[in-house]
Amino acid sequence: MKILILGSNEDIHAAHLKQSLTEKGITVEYLDTRLFPTQLKISWQPINHTGYLTFPDGRQWDLTDINKIFWRTFSGVNVPQLADSYQQTIAVNDATGLLRSFMRCTPEKWVNGWEAYEFHKEKPLQLSLANKIGVTIPATLVTNDAQEIINFSQSYLDVIFKPVYGGSHTQLLTKEHLEINRMNLALSISPVTIQEYIPGTNIRSYVIGEKVYSAEIRSSSLDFREDKRAKLIYLETPEDIKRQCLAITKAFGLKWTGIDWRFKPNGDFIFLEANFSPMFLHFERETGCPITEDLIELLTS
C-alpha cells in the first residue's frame, strides 16, 4: 500500500500522520508541490490515464499504485524566477496546469479532493448550501456597500465581522467601525462578512467517514483561536446534529472535516463553517477521540 500526503514534514499534522502510517508498515511519501517542477517530476497521459511521480531521489511511483492521497497543505508550484515576466507567466501556468490535472485525474483517491478545496474557499456559498440542506446559519451579509452594513447592523443587538475568505479573527462591530469614511475606505479595498452575534459557546465536530466527535470549546474570547487557554470538553454529539454533520460533509464533497458551531444557551446549534483540512492533534489529545486511527482507517480502506 502506498499513500501520499500533500504537504511536508514542516507541518506537524502531516508529520504525525506520516509517522503513524509508517509505524503500521504502510509506505508513505510527501507530495510537496514546492519541489515542482524543479525537483519533483510528473508525467501523465490523458488517453490511458497513466502517470508517474518521480521524487527528487529518483524513486518513481506509478499513479495506479497510489492508494490514497491525504490533503494537508497545498503550496502551489515553485517556478524559478525568470527575467522575462511573460515567460514567467507561461511557465507558472504550464506547471500549474499539469499539477492540477494530475491532482484531479483520480478524485476517488483524495481525502479531500480538488473540487471540495475550491468550494471551501467560497465561504458565502458554503453557508448558502448548508442553509439549503436544512442547517441553521447566522443571519449573514457579505458586501462592500457601507449603507447595507449600516442597515444590517441596526437589525441586531450585536454584530460581528470577519473576512470573506478567512485568515483573520472575528471581531465585534463597533460604532468606530461604522464611521462612514473609515468604512468606505476599507470596503473599497475588500468586501467583508457581517453576521448577527450568536450568544453561547463554540462547538467543534470532527467527521471522519461515518464517525462524528464533538467537543465544547470553553473560552472567554470572541474568537477561540485567539485564546491559548481555551478548554476542550468532550460532548456526546446529539443524534440530530450528527445527522447534520454527515449531511454537511456529503453536500460539501468532503470525506473528513472539522465543523464549527455556535451552541446557544437554549440548546440550538448554529453552523459557522466546515474546515477542508482541519488541525486535529490538540483536539485528539484533549478529548481522547481516536482521530488519527480513524484517518488511518479512512486512508487504508
Side-chain angles (χ1 to χ4, degrees):
M1 175 167 283
K2 292 183 177 179
I3 291 176
L4 280 173
I5 296 177
L6 183 66
S8 72
N9 62 3
E10 295 172 12
D11 180 273
I12 60 171
H13 293 77
H16 168 79
L17 190 57
K18 183 175 186 293
Q19 180 180 343
S20 300
L21 287 161
T22 301
E23 289 173 353
K24 293 186 178 295
I26 298 164
T27 302
V28 191
E29 276 294 343
Y30 294 115
L31 176 57
D32 186 351
T33 62
R34 296 174 303 177
L35 304 179
F36 181 72
T38 56
Q39 301 176 59
L40 183 70
K41 297 178 182 179
I42 298 175
S43 300
W44 188 61
Q45 296 188 44
I47 291 178
N48 53 18
H49 296 87
T50 59
Y52 296 92
L53 276 178
T54 304
F55 296 100
D57 62 5
R59 288 175 301 112
Q60 189 175 75
W61 280 20
D62 189 318
L63 178 60
T64 59
D65 292 335
I66 300 171
N67 298 86
K68 291 287 176 61
I69 309 169
F70 182 81
W71 190 309
R72 178 53 202 150
T73 55
F74 178 50
S75 304
V77 299
N78 186 18
V79 173
Q81 189 65 41
L82 304 178
D84 187 321
S85 60
Y86 178 68
Q87 292 298 324
Q88 179 80 31
T89 299
I90 291 175
V92 170
N93 287 342
D94 284 347
T96 302
L98 175 55
L99 177 62
R100 285 182 59 166
S101 296
F102 185 83
M103 293 172 68
R104 297 183 67 184
C105 69
T106 54
E108 72 282 355
K109 294 178 183 283
W110 285 83
V111 179
N112 291 299
W114 187 275
E115 283 71 20
Y117 166 68
E118 289 293 316
F119 182 70
H120 169 72
K121 294 188 290 184
E122 316 299 342
K123 293 188 184 297
L125 275 179
Q126 192 183 86
L127 284 169
S128 178
L129 181 54
N131 181 247
K132 285 180 179 178
I133 64 174
V135 177
T136 304
I137 67 170
T140 302
L141 170 69
V142 187
T143 187
N144 66 333
D145 186 322
Q147 188 58 52
E148 288 295 317
I149 292 175
I150 292 171
N151 295 344
F152 184 91
S153 66
Q154 291 173 346
S155 300
Y156 301 95
L157 181 62
D158 288 304
V159 171
I160 60 95
F161 69 96
K162 57 187 178 182
V164 178
Y165 187 81
S168 186
H169 297 309
T170 300
Q171 299 181 56
L172 275 172
L173 190 69
T174 66
K175 290 182 179 179
E176 288 74 22
H177 292 126
L178 290 172
E179 196 278 316
I180 193 66
N181 291 328
R182 176 177 179 174
M183 273 204 297
N184 284 332
L185 175 59
L187 295 171
S188 69
I189 298 171
S190 67
V192 66
T193 295
I194 307 292
Q195 290 181 327
E196 63 170 320
Y197 171 72
I198 307 295
T201 60
N202 295 289
I203 303 291
R204 165 62 67 90
S205 298
Y206 282 91
V207 184
I208 309 102
E210 297 296 316
K211 298 178 181 178
V212 180
Y213 305 111
S214 299
E216 181 180 349
I217 304 171
R218 294 182 182 173
S219 170
S220 58
S221 298
L222 179 63
D223 192 321
F224 67 84
R225 293 171 297 178
E226 297 178 318
D227 187 0
K228 294 182 179 180
R229 295 178 295 178
K231 299 294 183 183
L232 276 73
I233 310 298
Y234 177 78
L235 174 71
E236 192 67 39
T237 311
E239 282 302 313
D240 61 328
I241 299 305
K242 181 177 179 179
R243 286 192 294 271
Q244 289 190 34
C245 285
L246 295 173
I248 289 166
T249 303
K250 181 179 179 181
F252 290 12
L254 299 164
K255 297 176 182 176
W256 96 287
T257 184
I259 297 174
D260 291 327
W261 307 89
R262 193 72 172 165
F263 184 48
K264 296 177 67 173
N266 66 0
D268 289 345
F269 282 70
I270 311 298
F271 172 81
L272 300 179
E273 67 173 316
N275 298 275
F276 172 81
S277 180
M279 295 183 285
F280 60 92
L281 290 178
H282 180 63
F283 184 98
E284 185 173 57
R285 285 193 297 263
E286 290 288 306
T287 65
C289 297
I291 294 177
T292 299
E293 287 300 314
D294 290 337
L295 285 174
I296 291 173
E297 181 181 345
L298 188 62
L299 289 167
T300 56
S301 58

